[in-house]
Amino acid sequence: AQSVAQPEDQVNVAEGNPLTVKCTYSVSGNPYLFWYVQYPNRGLQFLLKYITGDNLVKGSYGFEAEFNKSQTSFHLKKPSALVSDSALYFCAVRDMPSSNTGKLIFGQGTTLQVKP
Amino acid sequence: DTEVTQTPKHLVMGMTNKKSLKCEQHMGHRAMYWYKQKAKKPPELMFVYSYEKLSINESVPSRFSPECPNSSLLNLHLHALQPEDSALYLCASSQEGWTRTYEQYFGPGTRLTVT
């Protein structure tokens, strides 16, 4: 069965510093991986995805993620954090990628706090 | 445009009430989803519609009844809910089929409180 783990409940970083939010996955076959962000009392916003191709994926708001097959990881990164990046971040993997409907398996979420 | 809209934003209902949540998208997506989310937890999938047909029901209690009247609309009918059903209900859509791009786009959610 597909699964995703986010090992950190919370990540704290100072504004202007680089940030990393970790995600590891366990899948059979090739993984289809996603990052979403959720601001308080809002829905989830799609940030980026890895389906195939370059291991470094660039997404919205200056975020990027690095797919590492040997370490089964898909960490989210940003070179310089903003206070406005403070939110709840979810990593997800698509269950049964070849199927016509894409059930997402979510990690437990990581709260990012960026302090001024 | 990657917008999914949901109405109402907030809903308070008693355990004997009947109410409905509405979701709409105009991105031409043919898969639509209902999720339930508790505070600071990941969304839990409830239902998936693919080409207006119910394709996944994650063993959701019958007091939740989904409906997909057309390719742009998704409803969730609520009846005889319990206080533990209080949550944020999220709708999402994705482009499936031969041109699928895989990511799901979420609406802002309906905050449901059952009293």
Side-chain angles (χ1 to χ4, degrees):
Chain A
Q2 323 280 62
S3 67
V4 171
Q6 293 179 243
E8 301 155 318
D9 288 337
Q10 182 159 323
V11 169
N12 298 310
V13 65
E15 188 175 32
N17 283 2
L19 70 87
T20 299
V21 183
K22 294 180 181 176
C23 172
T24 59
Y25 65 88
S26 174
V27 303
S28 52
N30 294 322
Y32 290 17
L33 295 158
F34 305 85
W35 275 102
Y36 286 86
V37 61
Q38 186 174 30
Y39 296 98
N41 300 310
R42 304 284 296 276
L44 277 69
Q45 293 180 32
F46 168 69
L47 280 178
L48 51 79
K49 65 183 177 186
Y50 174 83
I51 304 298
T52 187
D54 287 342
N55 290 342
L56 186 63
V57 178
K58 292 191 183 299
S60 306
Y61 313 120
F63 284 94
E64 58 190 28
E66 187 170 9
F67 173 68
N68 188 317
K69 189 171 183 177
S70 61
Q71 297 186 8
T72 62
S73 67
F74 188 56
H75 300 332
L76 182 70
K77 300 183 180 186
K78 188 173 182 183
S80 179
L82 300 172
V83 172
S84 57
D85 292 329
S86 299
L88 181 57
Y89 290 79
F90 290 104
C91 182
V93 65
R94 180 178 167 108
D95 196 23
M96 296 173 58
S98 60
S99 73
N100 280 332
T101 48
K103 177 178 175 179
L104 288 178
I105 311 295
F106 286 93
Q108 287 302 302
T110 298
T111 298
L112 174 66
Q113 289 271 18
V114 181
K115 300 197 173 173
Chain B
D1 183 11
T2 56
E3 189 177 27
V4 176
T5 59
Q6 289 187 244
T7 54
K9 284 186 170 36
H10 301 277
L11 178 62
V12 179
M13 59 186 290
M15 291 192 285
T16 58
N17 291 158
K18 286 185 181 181
K19 296 285 185 184
S20 296
L21 310 184
K22 181 179 171 181
C23 172
E24 193 165 5
Q25 57 88 15
H26 295 288
M27 295 178 278
H29 291 173
R30 302 309 297 271
M32 296 185 77
Y33 310 77
W34 280 116
Y35 289 87
K36 173 184 177 181
Q37 187 184 25
K38 293 282 197 177
K40 297 194 181 296
K41 297 292 186 185
E44 300 169 25
L45 183 66
M46 300 173 72
F47 303 102
V48 182
Y49 274 83
S50 176
Y51 293 85
E52 295 97 70
K53 291 192 186 333
L54 184 65
S55 64
I56 297 177
N57 176 343
E58 293 284 283
S59 303
V60 178
S62 60
R63 58 186 184 268
F64 295 92
S65 175
E67 179 196 20
C68 190
N70 60 54
S71 60
S72 300
L73 282 175
L74 187 66
N75 298 321
L76 186 63
H77 303 297
L78 314 173
H79 173 56
L81 295 192
Q82 304 296 310
E84 60 265 27
D85 297 322
S86 298
L88 183 68
Y89 287 84
L90 295 166
C91 174
S93 70
S94 66
Q95 186 179 18
E96 298 293 333
W98 292 110
T99 59
R100 55 184 181 260
T101 56
Y102 303 105
E103 65 270 22
Q104 294 180 20
Y105 292 93
F106 285 78
T110 294
R111 174 74 61 190
L112 174 67
T113 303
V114 181
T115 60

mmCIF file with all atom_site columns, all heavy atoms in Angstrom, chain A residues 11-35:
data_model
loop_
_atom_site.group_PDB
_atom_site.id
_atom_site.type_symbol
_atom_site.label_atom_id
_atom_site.label_alt_id
_atom_site.label_comp_id
_atom_site.label_asym_id
_atom_site.label_entity_id
_atom_site.label_seq_id
_atom_site.pdbx_PDB_ins_code
_atom_site.Cartn_x
_atom_site.Cartn_y
_atom_site.Cartn_z
_atom_site.occupancy
_atom_site.B_iso_or_equiv
_atom_site.pdbx_formal_charge
_atom_site.auth_seq_id
_atom_site.auth_comp_id
_atom_site.auth_asym_id
_atom_site.auth_atom_id
_atom_site.pdbx_PDB_model_num
ATOM 1   N N   . VAL A 1 11 ? 8.082  22.811 11.973  1.00 0.00 ? 11 VAL A N   1
ATOM 2   C CA  . VAL A 1 11 ? 9.401  23.316 11.583  1.00 0.00 ? 11 VAL A CA  1
ATOM 3   C C   . VAL A 1 11 ? 9.417  24.812 11.861  1.00 0.00 ? 11 VAL A C   1
ATOM 4   O O   . VAL A 1 11 ? 8.487  25.526 11.464  1.00 0.00 ? 11 VAL A O   1
ATOM 5   C CB  . VAL A 1 11 ? 9.685  23.058 10.086  1.00 0.00 ? 11 VAL A CB  1
ATOM 6   C CG1 . VAL A 1 11 ? 10.922 23.809 9.625   1.00 0.00 ? 11 VAL A CG1 1
ATOM 7   C CG2 . VAL A 1 11 ? 9.820  21.570 9.822   1.00 0.00 ? 11 VAL A CG2 1
ATOM 8   N N   . ASN A 1 12 ? 10.434 25.267 12.561  1.00 0.00 ? 12 ASN A N   1
ATOM 9   C CA  . ASN A 1 12 ? 10.592 26.691 12.857  1.00 0.00 ? 12 ASN A CA  1
ATOM 10  C C   . ASN A 1 12 ? 11.815 27.215 12.120  1.00 0.00 ? 12 ASN A C   1
ATOM 11  O O   . ASN A 1 12 ? 12.878 26.597 12.137  1.00 0.00 ? 12 ASN A O   1
ATOM 12  C CB  . ASN A 1 12 ? 10.778 26.917 14.360  1.00 0.00 ? 12 ASN A CB  1
ATOM 13  C CG  . ASN A 1 12 ? 9.573  26.471 15.147  1.00 0.00 ? 12 ASN A CG  1
ATOM 14  O OD1 . ASN A 1 12 ? 8.445  26.834 14.828  1.00 0.00 ? 12 ASN A OD1 1
ATOM 15  N ND2 . ASN A 1 12 ? 9.798  25.678 16.175  1.00 0.00 ? 12 ASN A ND2 1
ATOM 16  N N   . VAL A 1 13 ? 11.661 28.368 11.491  1.00 0.00 ? 13 VAL A N   1
ATOM 17  C CA  . VAL A 1 13 ? 12.773 28.961 10.743  1.00 0.00 ? 13 VAL A CA  1
ATOM 18  C C   . VAL A 1 13 ? 12.655 30.474 10.823  1.00 0.00 ? 13 VAL A C   1
ATOM 19  O O   . VAL A 1 13 ? 11.547 31.022 10.942  1.00 0.00 ? 13 VAL A O   1
ATOM 20  C CB  . VAL A 1 13 ? 12.767 28.451 9.279   1.00 0.00 ? 13 VAL A CB  1
ATOM 21  C CG1 . VAL A 1 13 ? 11.527 28.930 8.555   1.00 0.00 ? 13 VAL A CG1 1
ATOM 22  C CG2 . VAL A 1 13 ? 14.014 28.856 8.539   1.00 0.00 ? 13 VAL A CG2 1
ATOM 23  N N   . ALA A 1 14 ? 13.781 31.144 10.795  1.00 0.00 ? 14 ALA A N   1
ATOM 24  C CA  . ALA A 1 14 ? 13.788 32.607 10.802  1.00 0.00 ? 14 ALA A CA  1
ATOM 25  C C   . ALA A 1 14 ? 13.583 33.135 9.389   1.00 0.00 ? 14 ALA A C   1
ATOM 26  O O   . ALA A 1 14 ? 14.025 32.526 8.406   1.00 0.00 ? 14 ALA A O   1
ATOM 27  C CB  . ALA A 1 14 ? 15.110 33.120 11.377  1.00 0.00 ? 14 ALA A CB  1
ATOM 28  N N   . GLU A 1 15 ? 12.891 34.257 9.302   1.00 0.00 ? 15 GLU A N   1
ATOM 29  C CA  . GLU A 1 15 ? 12.662 34.874 7.995   1.00 0.00 ? 15 GLU A CA  1
ATOM 30  C C   . GLU A 1 15 ? 13.992 35.143 7.297   1.00 0.00 ? 15 GLU A C   1
ATOM 31  O O   . GLU A 1 15 ? 14.957 35.606 7.917   1.00 0.00 ? 15 GLU A O   1
ATOM 32  C CB  . GLU A 1 15 ? 11.891 36.179 8.166   1.00 0.00 ? 15 GLU A CB  1
ATOM 33  C CG  . GLU A 1 15 ? 11.439 36.801 6.854   1.00 0.00 ? 15 GLU A CG  1
ATOM 34  C CD  . GLU A 1 15 ? 10.561 38.026 7.054   1.00 0.00 ? 15 GLU A CD  1
ATOM 35  O OE1 . GLU A 1 15 ? 10.761 38.745 8.055   1.00 0.00 ? 15 GLU A OE1 1
ATOM 36  O OE2 . GLU A 1 15 ? 9.665  38.248 6.224   1.00 0.00 ? 15 GLU A OE2 1
ATOM 37  N N   . GLY A 1 16 ? 14.032 34.823 6.011   1.00 0.00 ? 16 GLY A N   1
ATOM 38  C CA  . GLY A 1 16 ? 15.249 35.014 5.240   1.00 0.00 ? 16 GLY A CA  1
ATOM 39  C C   . GLY A 1 16 ? 16.139 33.791 5.176   1.00 0.00 ? 16 GLY A C   1
ATOM 40  O O   . GLY A 1 16 ? 17.003 33.689 4.300   1.00 0.00 ? 16 GLY A O   1
ATOM 41  N N   . ASN A 1 17 ? 15.933 32.863 6.087   1.00 0.00 ? 17 ASN A N   1
ATOM 42  C CA  . ASN A 1 17 ? 16.722 31.624 6.084   1.00 0.00 ? 17 ASN A CA  1
ATOM 43  C C   . ASN A 1 17 ? 16.091 30.599 5.151   1.00 0.00 ? 17 ASN A C   1
ATOM 44  O O   . ASN A 1 17 ? 14.890 30.651 4.891   1.00 0.00 ? 17 ASN A O   1
ATOM 45  C CB  . ASN A 1 17 ? 16.815 31.044 7.492   1.00 0.00 ? 17 ASN A CB  1
ATOM 46  C CG  . ASN A 1 17 ? 17.823 31.790 8.351   1.00 0.00 ? 17 ASN A CG  1
ATOM 47  O OD1 . ASN A 1 17 ? 18.428 32.756 7.905   1.00 0.00 ? 17 ASN A OD1 1
ATOM 48  N ND2 . ASN A 1 17 ? 17.997 31.339 9.590   1.00 0.00 ? 17 ASN A ND2 1
ATOM 49  N N   . PRO A 1 18 ? 16.888 29.639 4.680   1.00 0.00 ? 18 PRO A N   1
ATOM 50  C CA  . PRO A 1 18 ? 16.297 28.575 3.867   1.00 0.00 ? 18 PRO A CA  1
ATOM 51  C C   . PRO A 1 18 ? 15.435 27.649 4.725   1.00 0.00 ? 18 PRO A C   1
ATOM 52  O O   . PRO A 1 18 ? 15.678 27.489 5.920   1.00 0.00 ? 18 PRO A O   1
ATOM 53  C CB  . PRO A 1 18 ? 17.526 27.826 3.318   1.00 0.00 ? 18 PRO A CB  1
ATOM 54  C CG  . PRO A 1 18 ? 18.635 28.169 4.248   1.00 0.00 ? 18 PRO A CG  1
ATOM 55  C CD  . PRO A 1 18 ? 18.343 29.517 4.805   1.00 0.00 ? 18 PRO A CD  1
ATOM 56  N N   . LEU A 1 19 ? 14.418 27.067 4.087   1.00 0.00 ? 19 LEU A N   1
ATOM 57  C CA  . LEU A 1 19 ? 13.563 26.139 4.813   1.00 0.00 ? 19 LEU A CA  1
ATOM 58  C C   . LEU A 1 19 ? 13.484 24.801 4.082   1.00 0.00 ? 19 LEU A C   1
ATOM 59  O O   . LEU A 1 19 ? 13.605 24.738 2.852   1.00 0.00 ? 19 LEU A O   1
ATOM 60  C CB  . LEU A 1 19 ? 12.163 26.722 5.005   1.00 0.00 ? 19 LEU A CB  1
ATOM 61  C CG  . LEU A 1 19 ? 11.252 26.876 3.795   1.00 0.00 ? 19 LEU A CG  1
ATOM 62  C CD1 . LEU A 1 19 ? 10.443 25.602 3.522   1.00 0.00 ? 19 LEU A CD1 1
ATOM 63  C CD2 . LEU A 1 19 ? 10.288 28.042 3.997   1.00 0.00 ? 19 LEU A CD2 1
ATOM 64  N N   . THR A 1 20 ? 13.303 23.753 4.859   1.00 0.00 ? 20 THR A N   1
ATOM 65  C CA  . THR A 1 20 ? 13.077 22.410 4.325   1.00 0.00 ? 20 THR A CA  1
ATOM 66  C C   . THR A 1 20 ? 11.975 21.760 5.123   1.00 0.00 ? 20 THR A C   1
ATOM 67  O O   . THR A 1 20 ? 12.015 21.763 6.354   1.00 0.00 ? 20 THR A O   1
ATOM 68  C CB  . THR A 1 20 ? 14.351 21.538 4.412   1.00 0.00 ? 20 THR A CB  1
ATOM 69  O OG1 . THR A 1 20 ? 15.390 22.133 3.643   1.00 0.00 ? 20 THR A OG1 1
ATOM 70  C CG2 . THR A 1 20 ? 14.073 20.135 3.878   1.00 0.00 ? 20 THR A CG2 1
ATOM 71  N N   . VAL A 1 21 ? 10.995 21.209 4.433   1.00 0.00 ? 21 VAL A N   1
ATOM 72  C CA  . VAL A 1 21 ? 9.942  20.409 5.058   1.00 0.00 ? 21 VAL A CA  1
ATOM 73  C C   . VAL A 1 21 ? 10.071 19.006 4.467   1.00 0.00 ? 21 VAL A C   1
ATOM 74  O O   . VAL A 1 21 ? 10.017 18.826 3.257   1.00 0.00 ? 21 VAL A O   1
ATOM 75  C CB  . VAL A 1 21 ? 8.546  20.989 4.789   1.00 0.00 ? 21 VAL A CB  1
ATOM 76  C CG1 . VAL A 1 21 ? 7.483  20.171 5.516   1.00 0.00 ? 21 VAL A CG1 1
ATOM 77  C CG2 . VAL A 1 21 ? 8.478  22.447 5.214   1.00 0.00 ? 21 VAL A CG2 1
ATOM 78  N N   . LYS A 1 22 ? 10.234 18.030 5.361   1.00 0.00 ? 22 LYS A N   1
ATOM 79  C CA  . LYS A 1 22 ? 10.607 16.685 4.898   1.00 0.00 ? 22 LYS A CA  1
ATOM 80  C C   . LYS A 1 22 ? 9.400  15.799 4.599   1.00 0.00 ? 22 LYS A C   1
ATOM 81  O O   . LYS A 1 22 ? 8.358  15.891 5.259   1.00 0.00 ? 22 LYS A O   1
ATOM 82  C CB  . LYS A 1 22 ? 11.481 16.005 5.959   1.00 0.00 ? 22 LYS A CB  1
ATOM 83  C CG  . LYS A 1 22 ? 12.823 16.699 6.145   1.00 0.00 ? 22 LYS A CG  1
ATOM 84  C CD  . LYS A 1 22 ? 13.644 15.999 7.201   1.00 0.00 ? 22 LYS A CD  1
ATOM 85  C CE  . LYS A 1 22 ? 14.978 16.715 7.392   1.00 0.00 ? 22 LYS A CE  1
ATOM 86  N NZ  . LYS A 1 22 ? 15.781 16.115 8.478   1.00 0.00 ? 22 LYS A NZ  1
ATOM 87  N N   . CYS A 1 23 ? 9.605  14.923 3.618   1.00 0.00 ? 23 CYS A N   1
ATOM 88  C CA  . CYS A 1 23 ? 8.584  13.949 3.238   1.00 0.00 ? 23 CYS A CA  1
ATOM 89  C C   . CYS A 1 23 ? 9.273  12.699 2.725   1.00 0.00 ? 23 CYS A C   1
ATOM 90  O O   . CYS A 1 23 ? 10.188 12.792 1.897   1.00 0.00 ? 23 CYS A O   1
ATOM 91  C CB  . CYS A 1 23 ? 7.681  14.543 2.155   1.00 0.00 ? 23 CYS A CB  1
ATOM 92  S SG  . CYS A 1 23 ? 6.510  13.383 1.422   1.00 0.00 ? 23 CYS A SG  1
ATOM 93  N N   . THR A 1 24 ? 8.867  11.543 3.207   1.00 0.00 ? 24 THR A N   1
ATOM 94  C CA  . THR A 1 24 ? 9.333  10.279 2.658   1.00 0.00 ? 24 THR A CA  1
ATOM 95  C C   . THR A 1 24 ? 8.124  9.466  2.246   1.00 0.00 ? 24 THR A C   1
ATOM 96  O O   . THR A 1 24 ? 7.023  9.659  2.779   1.00 0.00 ? 24 THR A O   1
ATOM 97  C CB  . THR A 1 24 ? 10.183 9.487  3.664   1.00 0.00 ? 24 THR A CB  1
ATOM 98  O OG1 . THR A 1 24 ? 9.406  9.237  4.839   1.00 0.00 ? 24 THR A OG1 1
ATOM 99  C CG2 . THR A 1 24 ? 11.440 10.252 4.041   1.00 0.00 ? 24 THR A CG2 1
ATOM 100 N N   . TYR A 1 25 ? 8.310  8.576  1.305   1.00 0.00 ? 25 TYR A N   1
ATOM 101 C CA  . TYR A 1 25 ? 7.183  7.837  0.762   1.00 0.00 ? 25 TYR A CA  1
ATOM 102 C C   . TYR A 1 25 ? 7.512  6.358  0.650   1.00 0.00 ? 25 TYR A C   1
ATOM 103 O O   . TYR A 1 25 ? 8.686  5.964  0.642   1.00 0.00 ? 25 TYR A O   1
ATOM 104 C CB  . TYR A 1 25 ? 6.786  8.396  -0.608  1.00 0.00 ? 25 TYR A CB  1
ATOM 105 C CG  . TYR A 1 25 ? 7.866  8.219  -1.659  1.00 0.00 ? 25 TYR A CG  1
ATOM 106 C CD1 . TYR A 1 25 ? 7.947  7.066  -2.422  1.00 0.00 ? 25 TYR A CD1 1
ATOM 107 C CD2 . TYR A 1 25 ? 8.814  9.221  -1.860  1.00 0.00 ? 25 TYR A CD2 1
ATOM 108 C CE1 . TYR A 1 25 ? 8.941  6.894  -3.354  1.00 0.00 ? 25 TYR A CE1 1
ATOM 109 C CE2 . TYR A 1 25 ? 9.824  9.065  -2.804  1.00 0.00 ? 25 TYR A CE2 1
ATOM 110 C CZ  . TYR A 1 25 ? 9.892  7.897  -3.545  1.00 0.00 ? 25 TYR A CZ  1
ATOM 111 O OH  . TYR A 1 25 ? 10.883 7.730  -4.468  1.00 0.00 ? 25 TYR A OH  1
ATOM 112 N N   . SER A 1 26 ? 6.456  5.575  0.555   1.00 0.00 ? 26 SER A N   1
ATOM 113 C CA  . SER A 1 26 ? 6.588  4.143  0.313   1.00 0.00 ? 26 SER A CA  1
ATOM 114 C C   . SER A 1 26 ? 5.523  3.774  -0.713  1.00 0.00 ? 26 SER A C   1
ATOM 115 O O   . SER A 1 26 ? 4.336  3.933  -0.437  1.00 0.00 ? 26 SER A O   1
ATOM 116 C CB  . SER A 1 26 ? 6.384  3.345  1.605   1.00 0.00 ? 26 SER A CB  1
ATOM 117 O OG  . SER A 1 26 ? 6.370  1.968  1.335   1.00 0.00 ? 26 SER A OG  1
ATOM 118 N N   . VAL A 1 27 ? 5.973  3.356  -1.900  1.00 0.00 ? 27 VAL A N   1
ATOM 119 C CA  . VAL A 1 27 ? 5.025  3.021  -2.966  1.00 0.00 ? 27 VAL A CA  1
ATOM 120 C C   . VAL A 1 27 ? 5.501  1.779  -3.698  1.00 0.00 ? 27 VAL A C   1
ATOM 121 O O   . VAL A 1 27 ? 6.686  1.437  -3.661  1.00 0.00 ? 27 VAL A O   1
ATOM 122 C CB  . VAL A 1 27 ? 4.876  4.181  -3.984  1.00 0.00 ? 27 VAL A CB  1
ATOM 123 C CG1 . VAL A 1 27 ? 4.443  5.460  -3.299  1.00 0.00 ? 27 VAL A CG1 1
ATOM 124 C CG2 . VAL A 1 27 ? 6.146  4.392  -4.779  1.00 0.00 ? 27 VAL A CG2 1
ATOM 125 N N   . SER A 1 28 ? 4.567  1.148  -4.371  1.00 0.00 ? 28 SER A N   1
ATOM 126 C CA  . SER A 1 28 ? 4.942  0.100  -5.311  1.00 0.00 ? 28 SER A CA  1
ATOM 127 C C   . SER A 1 28 ? 4.862  0.724  -6.691  1.00 0.00 ? 28 SER A C   1
ATOM 128 O O   . SER A 1 28 ? 3.850  1.285  -7.062  1.00 0.00 ? 28 SER A O   1
ATOM 129 C CB  . SER A 1 28 ? 3.991  -1.091 -5.200  1.00 0.00 ? 28 SER A CB  1
ATOM 130 O OG  . SER A 1 28 ? 2.664  -0.671 -5.299  1.00 0.00 ? 28 SER A OG  1
ATOM 131 N N   . GLY A 1 29 ? 5.933  0.698  -7.427  1.00 0.00 ? 29 GLY A N   1
ATOM 132 C CA  . GLY A 1 29 ? 5.960  1.335  -8.729  1.00 0.00 ? 29 GLY A CA  1
ATOM 133 C C   . GLY A 1 29 ? 6.470  2.766  -8.637  1.00 0.00 ? 29 GLY A C   1
ATOM 134 O O   . GLY A 1 29 ? 7.049  3.186  -7.633  1.00 0.00 ? 29 GLY A O   1
ATOM 135 N N   . ASN A 1 30 ? 6.264  3.511  -9.702  1.00 0.00 ? 30 ASN A N   1
ATOM 136 C CA  . ASN A 1 30 ? 6.737  4.898  -9.734  1.00 0.00 ? 30 ASN A CA  1
ATOM 137 C C   . ASN A 1 30 ? 5.798  5.803  -8.950  1.00 0.00 ? 30 ASN A C   1
ATOM 138 O O   . ASN A 1 30 ? 4.587  5.741  -9.118  1.00 0.00 ? 30 ASN A O   1
ATOM 139 C CB  . ASN A 1 30 ? 6.830  5.379  -11.184 1.00 0.00 ? 30 ASN A CB  1
ATOM 140 C CG  . ASN A 1 30 ? 7.903  4.635  -11.955 1.00 0.00 ? 30 ASN A CG  1
ATOM 141 O OD1 . ASN A 1 30 ? 8.963  4.337  -11.417 1.00 0.00 ? 30 ASN A OD1 1
ATOM 142 N ND2 . ASN A 1 30 ? 7.624  4.319  -13.205 1.00 0.00 ? 30 ASN A ND2 1
ATOM 143 N N   . PRO A 1 31 ? 6.363  6.663  -8.107  1.00 0.00 ? 31 PRO A N   1
ATOM 144 C CA  . PRO A 1 31 ? 5.490  7.532  -7.291  1.00 0.00 ? 31 PRO A CA  1
ATOM 145 C C   . PRO A 1 31 ? 5.053  8.775  -8.046  1.00 0.00 ? 31 PRO A C   1
ATOM 146 O O   . PRO A 1 31 ? 5.818  9.353  -8.798  1.00 0.00 ? 31 PRO A O   1
ATOM 147 C CB  . PRO A 1 31 ? 6.404  7.908  -6.130  1.00 0.00 ? 31 PRO A CB  1
ATOM 148 C CG  . PRO A 1 31 ? 7.771  7.940  -6.732  1.00 0.00 ? 31 PRO A CG  1
ATOM 149 C CD  . PRO A 1 31 ? 7.785  6.860  -7.780  1.00 0.00 ? 31 PRO A CD  1
ATOM 150 N N   . TYR A 1 32 ? 3.811  9.170  -7.801  1.00 0.00 ? 32 TYR A N   1
ATOM 151 C CA  . TYR A 1 32 ? 3.325  10.469 -8.249  1.00 0.00 ? 32 TYR A CA  1
ATOM 152 C C   . TYR A 1 32 ? 3.147  11.291 -6.973  1.00 0.00 ? 32 TYR A C   1
ATOM 153 O O   . TYR A 1 32 ? 2.265  11.004 -6.173  1.00 0.00 ? 32 TYR A O   1
ATOM 154 C CB  . TYR A 1 32 ? 1.987  10.345 -8.971  1.00 0.00 ? 32 TYR A CB  1
ATOM 155 C CG  . TYR A 1 32 ? 2.058  9.672  -10.324 1.00 0.00 ? 32 TYR A CG  1
ATOM 156 C CD1 . TYR A 1 32 ? 3.145  8.906  -10.723 1.00 0.00 ? 32 TYR A CD1 1
ATOM 157 C CD2 . TYR A 1 32 ? 0.997  9.794  -11.217 1.00 0.00 ? 32 TYR A CD2 1
ATOM 158 C CE1 . TYR A 1 32 ? 3.179  8.290  -11.959 1.00 0.00 ? 32 TYR A CE1 1
ATOM 159 C CE2 . TYR A 1 32 ? 1.028  9.188  -12.465 1.00 0.00 ? 32 TYR A CE2 1
ATOM 160 C CZ  . TYR A 1 32 ? 2.120  8.435  -12.827 1.00 0.00 ? 32 TYR A CZ  1
ATOM 161 O OH  . TYR A 1 32 ? 2.147  7.837  -14.048 1.00 0.00 ? 32 TYR A OH  1
ATOM 162 N N   . LEU A 1 33 ? 3.972  12.321 -6.783  1.00 0.00 ? 33 LEU A N   1
ATOM 163 C CA  . LEU A 1 33 ? 4.083  13.018 -5.508  1.00 0.00 ? 33 LEU A CA  1
ATOM 164 C C   . LEU A 1 33 ? 3.643  14.470 -5.622  1.00 0.00 ? 33 LEU A C   1
ATOM 165 O O   . LEU A 1 33 ? 3.860  15.114 -6.653  1.00 0.00 ? 33 LEU A O   1
ATOM 166 C CB  . LEU A 1 33 ? 5.542  12.966 -5.021  1.00 0.00 ? 33 LEU A CB  1
ATOM 167 C CG  . LEU A 1 33 ? 6.049  11.570 -4.683  1.00 0.00 ? 33 LEU A CG  1
ATOM 168 C CD1 . LEU A 1 33 ? 7.566  11.520 -4.746  1.00 0.00 ? 33 LEU A CD1 1
ATOM 169 C CD2 . LEU A 1 33 ? 5.554  11.149 -3.312  1.00 0.00 ? 33 LEU A CD2 1
ATOM 170 N N   . PHE A 1 34 ? 3.085  14.983 -4.537  1.00 0.00 ? 34 PHE A N   1
ATOM 171 C CA  . PHE A 1 34 ? 2.518  16.333 -4.527  1.00 0.00 ? 34 PHE A CA  1
ATOM 172 C C   . PHE A 1 34 ? 2.827  17.011 -3.194  1.00 0.00 ? 34 PHE A C   1
ATOM 173 O O   . PHE A 1 34 ? 2.950  16.356 -2.161  1.00 0.00 ? 34 PHE A O   1
ATOM 174 C CB  . PHE A 1 34 ? 0.986  16.282 -4.693  1.00 0.00 ? 34 PHE A CB  1
ATOM 175 C CG  . PHE A 1 34 ? 0.534  15.536 -5.906  1.00 0.00 ? 34 PHE A CG  1
ATOM 176 C CD1 . PHE A 1 34 ? 0.382  14.157 -5.872  1.00 0.00 ? 34 PHE A CD1 1
ATOM 177 C CD2 . PHE A 1 34 ? 0.261  16.205 -7.082  1.00 0.00 ? 34 PHE A CD2 1
ATOM 178 C CE1 . PHE A 1 34 ? -0.023 13.447 -6.999  1.00 0.00 ? 34 PHE A CE1 1
ATOM 179 C CE2 . PHE A 1 34 ? -0.150 15.509 -8.212  1.00 0.00 ? 34 PHE A CE2 1
ATOM 180 C CZ  . PHE A 1 34 ? -0.286 14.134 -8.167  1.00 0.00 ? 34 PHE A CZ  1
ATOM 181 N N   . TRP A 1 35 ? 2.896  18.341 -3.250  1.00 0.00 ? 35 TRP A N   1
ATOM 182 C CA  . TRP A 1 35 ? 2.900  19.161 -2.053  1.00 0.00 ? 35 TRP A CA  1
ATOM 183 C C   . TRP A 1 35 ? 1.741  20.151 -2.126  1.00 0.00 ? 35 TRP A C   1
ATOM 184 O O   . TRP A 1 35 ? 1.495  20.766 -3.174  1.00 0.00 ? 35 TRP A O   1
ATOM 185 C CB  . TRP A 1 35 ? 4.202  19.956 -1.911  1.00 0.00 ? 35 TRP A CB  1
ATOM 186 C CG  . TRP A 1 35 ? 5.310  19.200 -1.250  1.00 0.00 ? 35 TRP A CG  1
ATOM 187 C CD1 . TRP A 1 35 ? 6.375  18.601 -1.838  1.00 0.00 ? 35 TRP A CD1 1
ATOM 188 C CD2 . TRP A 1 35 ? 5.450  18.964 0.165   1.00 0.00 ? 35 TRP A CD2 1
ATOM 189 N NE1 . TRP A 1 35 ? 7.185  18.004 -0.891  1.00 0.00 ? 35 TRP A NE1 1
ATOM 190 C CE2 . TRP A 1 35 ? 6.642  18.217 0.339   1.00 0.00 ? 35 TRP A CE2 1
ATOM 191 C CE3 . TRP A 1 35 ? 4.709  19.314 1.294   1.00 0.00 ? 35 TRP A CE3 1
ATOM 192 C CZ2 . TRP A 1 35 ? 7.093  17.811 1.597   1.00 0.00 ? 35 TRP A CZ2 1
ATOM 193 C CZ3 . TRP A 1 35 ? 5.152  18.918 2.530   1.00 0.00 ? 35 TRP A CZ3 1
ATOM 194 C CH2 . TRP A 1 35 ? 6.327  18.178 2.684   1.00 0.00 ? 35 TRP A CH2 1
#
